[in-house]
Amino acid sequence: MHIPDGFLSVPVAGATGLVSAVALVVACGRSQEDLGIRRAPILGLTTAFIFAAQMVNFPVAGGTSGHLLGGTLAAIVLGSPWAGMLCITTVFIIQAVLFADGGITALGANILNAGVIAVWVGWVLTQTLQRLLGGSKGRLPLAAGIAAGVSIVVASVACAIQLVLSGTASAAIVLPAMTGVHILIGIGEGIITGGVLVYLAKARPDLLPGEEQEFKGWLVPVISILLVAGVLSLVASGWPDGLERVAENVGFIDLAEQVRIEVPTPLADYGIEGLGAISTSIAGLVGSAVCFAVAFGIAKVVKPKNA
């Protein structure tokens, strides 16, 4: 659900950019108690994992694919929707700047949809569902999985409204189209989110909040990220994602080619000219490393004042 350049009008792009900027300033302030030295490795690893996982598109139906958005997962693992916002925003900025994935002019809207709306919908709904399910930690993956799926649908509705306000498509067509395809993608989001949380609860509880334990090592999480970014990315579905499919069907996909702003980079579209498929692995590994470094640095800067 990366909106490219050309899909949004200038007023919508400007307004969403302003809202996202304000939200991120607030998130930096509210994250101070959640980050710092102890949580820096977890923020870095979570950000790198979500970047890697977003490279692995899975097929849904009708020649359409989807991928993990990760807003709910980030908020749960980090124990804070504010920190989750910083995580997802880091991923989207690096994707846009280094890989030309998502428009530069649409970056504010993409951050608003994925880094603010999806994160908060997933977080609030997870807390609500877990209480309704009895409040035990064992029910967290189920609650978070359901919430993650719903968060994707809500984010897609927000994206559709932005397209309508931009005059790109009519509400009667684009709203049901975006909602329908992202219900299917949301199922995948929920399964992946719940599955990752089940694994972490059993194998690495130190990576989840609420446990006053020290970080227990880098080996397993780093190898997992490398495998996803460097190997699983090679078998990602080549079908267009939900937004691309809707844009093709409704007839506004060409707008992305008419207004295309790219920052010069050898890694555009997750590839390197002349290297074939292996360039996807290289792009995944580089992107994951950059995401980790940036997020780790953010955690070091945004920390408790007395730390």
Side-chain angles (χ1 to χ4, degrees), residues 107-259:
L107 186 55
N110 283 325
I111 291 173
L112 177 62
N113 297 337
V116 181
I117 294 174
V119 168
W120 275 97
V121 169
W123 172 262
V124 172
L125 192 53
T126 297
Q127 309 307 310
T128 304
L129 288 173
Q130 195 176 11
R131 282 195 295 272
L132 293 175
L133 292 171
S136 70
K137 289 185 178 180
R139 301 297 174 88
L140 177 61
L142 176 61
I146 296 172
V150 174
S151 75
I152 297 303
V153 178
V154 175
S156 75
V157 171
C159 177
I161 292 173
Q162 292 154 11
L163 295 172
V164 172
L165 293 176
S166 298
T168 303
S170 69
I173 296 176
V174 77
L175 274 170
M178 284 290 286
T179 303
V181 72
H182 283 90
I183 286 174
L184 300 177
I185 295 173
I187 294 172
E189 177 90 10
I191 293 172
I192 295 172
T193 300
V196 171
L197 290 174
V198 167
Y199 168 76
L200 291 178
K202 292 182 177 179
R204 292 298 301 267
D206 57 304
L207 295 178
L208 293 174
E211 302 287 345
E212 295 299 330
Q213 299 174 326
E214 295 297 325
F215 179 63
K216 290 185 175 179
W218 297 84
L219 184 62
V220 172
V222 168
I223 289 177
S224 300
I225 292 168
L226 295 180
L227 288 175
V228 175
V231 180
L232 284 184
S233 62
L234 295 174
V235 297
S237 171
W239 288 347
D241 68 14
L243 175 58
E244 290 177 302
R245 173 58 67 196
V246 170
E248 289 179 358
N249 292 345
V250 176
F252 59 86
I253 189 68
D254 290 342
L255 293 175
E257 297 302 324
Q258 295 174 15
V259 182

Side-chain angles (χ1 to χ4, degrees), residues 46-57 68 91 95 224-230 232-233 284-285 287-288 291:
T46 302
T47 306
F49 174 79
I50 288 176
F51 172 87
Q54 286 196 5
M55 291 186 66
V56 186
N57 279 47
L68 178 77
V91 171
Q95 287 174 332
S224 300
I225 292 168
L226 295 180
L227 288 175
V228 175
L232 284 184
S233 62
L285 297 176
S288 298
C291 280

Side-chain angles (χ1 to χ4, degrees), residues 87-105:
C87 170
I88 300 301
T89 296
T90 300
V91 171
F92 269 71
I93 290 175
I94 290 172
Q95 287 174 332
V97 173
L98 293 186
F99 302 96
D101 188 9
I104 297 296
T105 59

